């Protein structure tokens, strides 16, 4: 009978045992250079992955036979890496044109005393750079260590892939200097006319205390340190600057660019709630190495976090569609900055009906406190509707279950291929409706009738409009699509238009699909297998579940940021606020996306009502509740004779725009909800749903 091979020997296939270990950071470098993950090391040694992470961070030390096996593994990796380097051909120096010997990536392994308490970090010479591991060989060398690091209190800076850097910085200015000079952190631009992402350093509570930051941010309204705080004064003395946001949970520290090179570092302070639990769940409680991987996955798939998920969603729009590009001045022959076609290039004021009540445009037209009517304000919001329980039919009342279905990434799907205005609005009187023109239209749609068992698509509350009202182009286009005559009285349109959000949608769709695949939910799963996978996908990998939650919050928050309201105690109605000066402050685009999402939902509900006689009992944004003979969506979603989903209706699947199971409750529970005036869609999965959807 063949003997079971030693797992360490399987990894190395050579190398003597040794009883001493290299320094913790050297252990991580050897592993990454060799192309192994912490999980592979852990499996070979019969320990947990977190145990290996602790060895590489210096928080703990292996003992006994495990220590000897770990030493053998590290020694063998060092030996093989050195031999590999000697076999490499000479490198060519691009500056001198000379050939230089290939550099070995493995250094001698110094003897290490028996484990004891970790010594305080002291300034060290710059660490020797090592070659990128095989899976990251194509990474931009300027950002060899990834987009970000999580700094712990002992000076360990945890990066993606298990890499741990030694950060000796004793204060914030030194941390900024180290990050820009040595850390090799950041990310390349996502658009050729954009900017590289600045490095992000995430501070644990211990790291924040080590740098002199308080455990609690006392200013809960302004969310910033006072100007006379010692850390703020340190930054000023070192000739660094803070943005207008000051030093808060997300602080940006910079100097003016020199020679086209940015000098900016962003800090995220975990004890100050930098990671909102509504977007990131319990990610802030993860060990530093795990948090670095989680945030790094988000950064690689979406964008390096720049603040809240909403801020990141808005920044992603600008990053993918930069407002400017280099153009040649024909007079001087020099390259200058010019507008980028297809982008939002300048801040513009909204049309009066598009402006929120606080906007100066509204203050100039209406007295303070005036309640505008639907004929005076654009009210495109997500649908929240319940059916009158008196309209439940006998056939529906014998179905024992209420089943909720939820549209995946509804707002993102609505943004796909949506034409939006790129410039300022143009006012028109009595125009002919043109669905190709983004804008807002004053039109009477109250004559259009729908079955009372369906919400009316022209109001957020699902009831029939009472007369002329302002609508975004997607809403009016739907009325025309249904064959009704639409005669606008007035309009504010934007002739300069484009699919501004397409790249944004594509990036977020790909990030969402990649993350769902990591959680075991793929696009090729049969419907029953998809539903089964969705039952437990969030528990498969808590880190990836946190990334998924953040991606959804980025979509929802990014769209919401397009109409950011004034903040702060110093604001007075009628005044301008900082967000108005952004090209991306565009309430008309927000209205168009929400209108498109609401119309997409109604179109599918109408198709199922007409094709199968099925009507919802409640709708909340992207969730619809139907009564069913069984507890699964498969028990009520209609099929064709060929056993395919009804064309144009809801389809189960992982892709944006398709639906998943939101929850199931008994019939009597749903009827009681309706009788008491509650929305079953809000509670169908056992917890309150967000009215704004995903």
């Amino acid at each position: 009978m063949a003997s079971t091979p030693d797992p360490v020997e399987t990894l190395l296939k050579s190398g003597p045992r040794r009883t001493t270990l290299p320094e913790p950071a050297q252990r991580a470098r050897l592993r990454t250079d060799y192309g192994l993950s912490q999980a592979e090391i852990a499996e070979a040694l019969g320990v947990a992955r977190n145990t290996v992470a602790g060895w590489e961070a210096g928080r703990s030390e292996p003992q006994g036979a495990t220590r000897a096996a770990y030493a053998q593994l590290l020694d063998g990796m060092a030996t093989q890496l050195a031999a590999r380097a000697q076999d490499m051909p000479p490198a060519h120096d691009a500056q001198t044109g000379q050939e230089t010997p290939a550099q070995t990536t493995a250094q001698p392994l110094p003897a290490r005393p028996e484990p004891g308490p970790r010594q305080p970090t002291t300034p060290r010479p710059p660490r020797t750079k090592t070659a990128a591991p095989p899976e990251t060989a194509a990474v931009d060398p300027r950002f060899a260590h990834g987009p970000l690091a999580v700094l712990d209190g002992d000076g360990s800076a945890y990066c993606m892939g298990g890499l741990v850097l030694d950060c000796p910085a004793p204060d914030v200015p030194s941390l900024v200097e180290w990050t820009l000079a040595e850390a090799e952190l950041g990310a390349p631009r996502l658009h050729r006319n954009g900017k590289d992402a600045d490095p992000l350093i995430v501070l644990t509570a211990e790291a924040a205390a080590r740098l002199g930051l308080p455990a609690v941010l006392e200013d809960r309204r302004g969310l910033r340190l006072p100007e006379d705080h010692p850390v703020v004064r340190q930054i000023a003395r070192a000739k660094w600057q803070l943005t207008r946001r000051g030093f808060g949970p997300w602080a940006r520290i910079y100097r003016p660019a020199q020679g086209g090179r940015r000098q900016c570092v962003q800090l995220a302070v975990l004890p100050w709630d930098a990671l909102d639990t509504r977007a990131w769940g319990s990610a802030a409680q993860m060990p530093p190495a795990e948090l670095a991987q989680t945030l790094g996955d988000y950064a690689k798939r979406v964008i390096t976090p720049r603040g809240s998920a909403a801020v990141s969603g808005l920044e992603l729009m600008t990053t993918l569609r930069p407002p400017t590009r280099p153009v040649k001045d024909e007079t001087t022959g020099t390259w200058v900055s010019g507008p980028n076609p297809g982008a939002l290039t300048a801040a513009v004021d909204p049309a009066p009906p598009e402006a929120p009540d606080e906007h100066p445009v509204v203050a100039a037209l209406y007295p303070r406190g005036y309640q505008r009517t639907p004929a005076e304000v654009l009210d495109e919001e997500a649908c929240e509707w319940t059916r009158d329980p008196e309209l439940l039919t006998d056939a529906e009342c014998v179905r024992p279950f209420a089943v909720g279905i939820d549209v995946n990434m509804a707002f993102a799907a609505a943004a796909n291929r949506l034409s939006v205005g790129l410039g300022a609005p143009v006012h028109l009187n009595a125009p002919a409706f043109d669905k190709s023109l983004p804008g807002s239209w004053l039109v009477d749609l109250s004559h259009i009738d729908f079955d009372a068992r369906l919400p009316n698509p022209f109001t957020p509350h699902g009831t029939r409009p009472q007369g002329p009202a302002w609508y975004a182009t997607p809403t009016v286009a739907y009325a025309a699509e249904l064959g009704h005559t639409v005669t606008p009285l007035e309009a504010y349109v934007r002739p300069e238009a484009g699919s501004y959000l397409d790249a944004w949608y594509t990036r977020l769709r790909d990030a969402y699909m990649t993350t769902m695949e990591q959680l075991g939910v793929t696009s090729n799963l049969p419907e029953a297998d998809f539903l089964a996978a969705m039952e437990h996908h969030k528990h498969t990998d808590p880190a990836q579940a946190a990334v998924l939650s953040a991606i959804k919050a980025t979509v929802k928050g990014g769209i919401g940021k397009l109409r950011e309201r004034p903040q702060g105690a110093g604001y007075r109605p009628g005044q301008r606020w900082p967000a108005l000066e952004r090209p991306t402050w565009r309430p008309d685009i927000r209205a168009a996306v929400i209108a498109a999402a609401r119309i997409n939902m109604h179109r599918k509900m109408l198709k199922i009502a007409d094709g199968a006689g099925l009507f919802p009992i409640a709708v909340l944004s992207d969730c619809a509740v139907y009564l069913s003979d069984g507890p699964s969506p498969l028990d009520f979603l209609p099929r064709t004779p060929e056993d395919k989903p009804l064309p144009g209706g809801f389809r189960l699947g992982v892709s944006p725009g398709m639906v998943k199971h939101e929850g199931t409750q008994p019939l009597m529970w749903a009827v009681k909800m309706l009788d008491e005036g509650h929305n079953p869609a809000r509670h169908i999965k056992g917890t309150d749903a967000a009215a704004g959807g995903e």
Side-chain angles (χ1 to χ4, degrees), residues 19-311:
T19 58
T20 57
L21 296 175
E23 291 290 331
Q26 174 73 352
R27 303 169 194 175
R29 289 197 289 271
L30 284 170
R31 174 181 57 76
T32 54
D33 287 354
Y34 199 79
L36 296 176
S37 66
Q38 289 179 339
E40 289 174 300
I41 299 290
E43 182 178 1
L45 297 176
V47 298
R49 182 186 64 80
N50 286 343
T51 300
V52 176
W55 296 343
E56 294 183 352
R59 293 193 301 268
S60 61
E61 290 289 327
Q63 302 295 332
T66 301
R67 180 179 179 83
Y70 188 39
Q72 180 196 3
L73 178 58
L74 294 172
D75 184 57
M77 287 192 290
T79 300
Q80 292 190 27
L81 287 168
R84 183 189 306 171
Q86 290 174 358
D87 292 338
M88 290 173 62
H92 186 80
D93 191 306
Q95 292 184 342
T96 65
Q98 301 295 316
E99 289 186 345
T100 58
Q103 293 183 345
T104 178
T105 61
Q107 295 91 41
L109 301 181
R112 177 176 173 83
E114 287 304 309
R118 184 181 173 112
Q119 298 300 313
T121 303
T122 55
R124 298 168 174 80
R127 58 180 290 269
T128 302
K129 295 182 180 179
T130 60
E135 65 270 21
T136 59
V139 168
D140 189 319
R142 297 172 300 160
F143 314 123
H145 298 148
L148 55 86
V150 178
L151 184 63
D152 210 347
D154 61 1
S156 297
Y158 296 83
C159 307
M160 293 186 70
L163 178 66
V164 184
L165 304 179
D166 189 13
C167 175
D171 52 44
V172 170
S174 300
L175 174 61
V176 174
E177 296 279 3
W178 173 84
T179 302
L180 294 174
E182 298 182 41
E184 298 178 8
L185 296 173
R189 64 196 67 188
L190 296 179
H191 188 282
R192 65 181 182 276
N193 295 325
K195 299 174 182 176
D196 296 330
D198 297 319
L200 168 64
I201 302 294
V202 181
L203 303 180
T204 64
E206 295 78 10
R210 178 174 178 239
L211 296 171
L213 298 172
V216 177
L217 191 59
E218 297 293 343
D219 182 2
R220 302 310 300 171
R221 182 180 292 273
L223 290 177
R224 62 174 64 193
L225 288 178
E227 295 296 324
D228 61 351
H229 190 277
V231 170
V232 177
R233 293 203 302 265
Q234 280 179 350
I235 293 170
R237 283 197 303 268
K239 307 301 182 184
W240 291 98
Q241 301 178 39
L242 290 162
T243 61
R244 287 187 303 178
R245 288 190 296 180
F247 201 121
W250 292 88
R252 297 184 67 78
I253 303 173
Y254 72 98
R255 284 177 182 153
Q258 294 181 352
R261 182 175 178 271
R262 289 174 63 81
Q263 299 182 89
C264 184
V265 174
Q266 180 158 295
L267 304 181
V269 188
L270 293 182
W272 297 354
D273 301 323
L275 296 182
D276 189 337
T277 56
R278 291 171 296 180
W280 289 98
S282 58
Q285 308 305 317
M286 292 177 178
E290 188 175 347
L291 178 59
Q293 188 64 43
T294 300
L295 295 175
D297 285 341
Y298 176 89
K300 292 286 188 181
R301 297 170 198 169
V302 183
I303 191 174
T304 302
R306 295 284 301 272
S308 67
V311 169

Side-chain angles (χ1 to χ4, degrees), residues 457-468:
F458 305 133
T459 62
H461 41 75
T463 58
R464 185 192 294 240
Q466 297 302 305

Side-chain angles (χ1 to χ4, degrees), residues 333-688:
T334 59
W335 290 93
V336 297
S337 180
N340 187 21
L344 303 180
T345 59
V348 295
D349 276 342
E354 298 166 350
D357 291 340
E358 302 92 338
H359 199 281
V361 167
V362 177
L365 293 175
Y366 303 101
R368 185 174 177 180
Y370 177 78
Q371 186 69 36
R372 289 183 288 173
T373 69
E376 296 168 326
V377 62
L378 180 69
D379 187 24
E380 294 283 16
E381 299 293 342
C383 179
E384 182 171 5
W385 168 88
T386 57
R387 199 202 300 182
D388 183 343
E390 295 295 327
L391 296 178
L392 292 175
T393 65
D394 292 342
E396 288 176 322
C397 289
V398 299
R399 294 172 186 158
F401 298 101
V403 181
I405 52 175
D406 181 81
V407 179
N408 303 320
M409 300 276 281
F411 291 156
N416 185 30
R417 297 192 296 273
L418 179 68
S419 180
V420 300
L422 301 178
V426 175
H427 182 251
L428 302 175
N429 280 312
F433 175 67
D434 184 348
K435 66 179 182 180
S436 69
L437 278 177
S440 302
W441 308 78
L442 179 61
V443 59
D444 191 348
L445 302 179
S446 62
H447 62 285
I448 302 176
D449 195 24
F450 291 91
D451 191 303
R453 292 173 291 175
L454 282 173
N456 188 295
F458 305 133
T459 62
H461 41 75
T463 58
R464 185 192 294 240
Q466 297 302 305
W470 285 96
Y471 302 99
T473 297
T475 302
V476 186
Y478 185 51
E481 174 188 323
L482 295 175
H484 301 287
T485 301
V486 292
T487 308
L489 306 173
E490 194 177 346
Y492 288 93
V493 299
R494 291 169 170 81
E496 184 187 0
S499 301
Y500 173 73
L501 294 172
D502 273 10
W504 185 80
Y505 161 77
T506 300
R507 177 92 175 161
L508 287 164
R509 176 205 63 195
D510 292 349
Y512 166 79
M513 295 294 285
T514 296
T515 307
M516 290 299 288
E517 184 174 354
Q518 293 288 313
L519 291 168
V521 186
T522 60
S523 58
N524 59 356
L525 288 175
E527 291 173 316
D529 293 342
F530 164 72
L531 291 174
M534 289 296 293
E535 286 295 320
H536 54 77
H537 75 288
K538 291 184 179 179
H539 307 292
T540 301
D541 185 334
Q544 291 301 306
V547 176
L548 178 65
S549 175
I551 291 170
K552 293 179 178 181
T554 301
V555 173
K556 178 183 174 183
I559 296 300
K561 268 290 191 186
L562 292 168
R563 194 187 66 171
E564 182 178 356
R565 310 298 273 267
Q567 302 174 25
Y571 171 77
R572 295 293 179 269
Q575 292 179 346
R576 296 186 70 85
W577 59 97
L580 302 186
E581 312 312 319
R582 293 193 323 247
T584 50
W585 192 85
R586 292 293 300 273
D588 57 300
I589 296 180
R590 173 189 177 274
V593 172
I594 294 176
R598 193 183 68 246
I599 294 306
N600 288 346
M601 188 82 168
H602 193 275
R603 185 182 288 112
K604 290 179 170 61
M605 291 189 293
L606 182 59
K607 189 69 176 181
I608 289 179
D610 290 344
L614 291 176
F615 296 85
I617 64 167
V619 177
L620 180 68
S621 186
D622 45 19
C623 175
V625 178
Y626 286 83
L627 298 181
S628 171
D629 292 324
S632 167
L634 289 173
D635 294 318
F636 78 87
L637 288 177
R639 317 285 289 186
T640 67
E642 297 76 27
D643 197 32
K644 301 290 185 183
L646 183 71
F650 295 111
R651 297 187 62 183
L652 289 168
V654 69
S655 298
M658 301 178 79
V659 299
K660 60 181 179 292
H661 183 204
E662 181 73 354
T664 297
Q665 298 288 345
L667 165 69
M668 296 311 298
W669 172 91
V671 172
K672 182 180 179 182
M673 281 277 175
L674 294 175
D675 285 340
E676 294 178 351
H678 301 306
N679 190 329
R682 183 180 297 279
H683 309 279
I684 192 71
K685 63 181 178 182
T687 57
D688 285 356

